[in-house]
Amino acid sequence: GYDVDIGCFRAWATQMAQSGPVDFYQSVSFCDYPPGYLWILWLLGLIGRALGGVSEWLVKMPSVAADIMLCALLYKSARPARGHREALALCLLYAFNPLTFAAGAAWGQTDALMTLLVFLAVDAAGKKRWKTALPCYAVAVLVKPQALLFGPLGLGALVAQALWMRKDKPALSALLK
């Protein structure tokens, strides 16, 4: 893994297990991650304490688990529209993408967690379940701020749906033409 990142994740997990989240940012010399991922590290720190220390493989597990969940969700969401073979092909393309291995299993990065949460948000938004989509997106931002890059797309979808639902109003109907 990236030694600096893995070292930070291990140290942060250990610190969270020792003192909890209240004074975390004041108790470490450096932390550039938002609180969402730190809660995951807190759990890993507690597990690590029981196992005798936070290991490299332990801090990589959330990303690996997220990749596995993403494969399952890709298959599940593609199967009704595309059938078993195409859904399985999509799942396998993601699973065996070299970047999937490199980012999570090799380097221990948190991108898969953010991707999983953004996927859940997009899936819920596509089904017009905004009460699920918006919290999933908010948690994605709290896990990794790069999720903010998807914000304009989500806002556009939300506005488009609001306009579409009110198309019977003359002023809004004119905008849709």
Side-chain angles (χ1 to χ4, degrees):
Y2 282 119
D3 292 337
V4 172
D5 289 344
I6 295 296
C8 286
F9 295 156
R10 291 174 72 185
W12 297 339
T14 301
Q15 182 63 36
M16 287 289 282
Q18 288 174 355
S19 61
V22 175
D23 293 322
F24 174 78
Y25 288 102
Q26 289 81 20
S27 65
V28 295
S29 61
F30 169 77
C31 183
D32 61 348
Y33 266 67
Y37 192 64
L38 295 176
W39 285 77
I40 294 167
L41 290 176
W42 188 11
L43 175 63
L44 296 179
L46 295 172
I47 293 169
R49 185 188 314 171
L51 296 175
V54 179
S55 65
E56 182 176 333
W57 70 266
L58 186 61
V59 297
K60 291 179 179 181
M61 286 288 83
S63 290
V64 172
D67 281 331
I68 292 168
M69 285 187 265
L70 273 164
C71 285
L73 289 171
L74 283 168
Y75 177 83
K76 183 182 175 193
S77 65
R79 186 166 186 225
R82 296 294 184 183
H84 169 73
R85 293 179 89 185
E86 288 184 33
L88 183 60
L90 178 64
C91 173
L92 293 174
L93 280 171
Y94 180 83
F96 291 104
N97 179 341
L99 187 57
T100 301
F101 288 114
W107 297 334
Q109 300 301 298
T110 62
D111 301 280
L113 291 166
M114 179 200 70
T115 304
L116 174 64
L117 290 162
V118 168
F119 180 90
L120 292 170
V122 168
D123 186 57
K127 296 173 182 169
K128 298 178 180 153
R129 295 187 346 226
W130 291 100
K131 289 181 181 179
T132 302
L134 294 173
C136 283
Y137 177 69
V139 173
V141 171
L142 289 173
V143 166
K144 194 158 178 113
Q146 286 83 345
L148 287 169
L149 295 169
F150 296 96
L153 295 173
L155 180 61
L158 184 60
V159 168
Q161 183 183 342
L163 289 173
W164 183 260
M165 289 175 63
R166 297 172 185 230
K167 67 181 180 180
D168 58 323
K169 307 265 192 246
L172 294 175
S173 182
L175 289 173
L176 294 173
K177 290 183 180 182

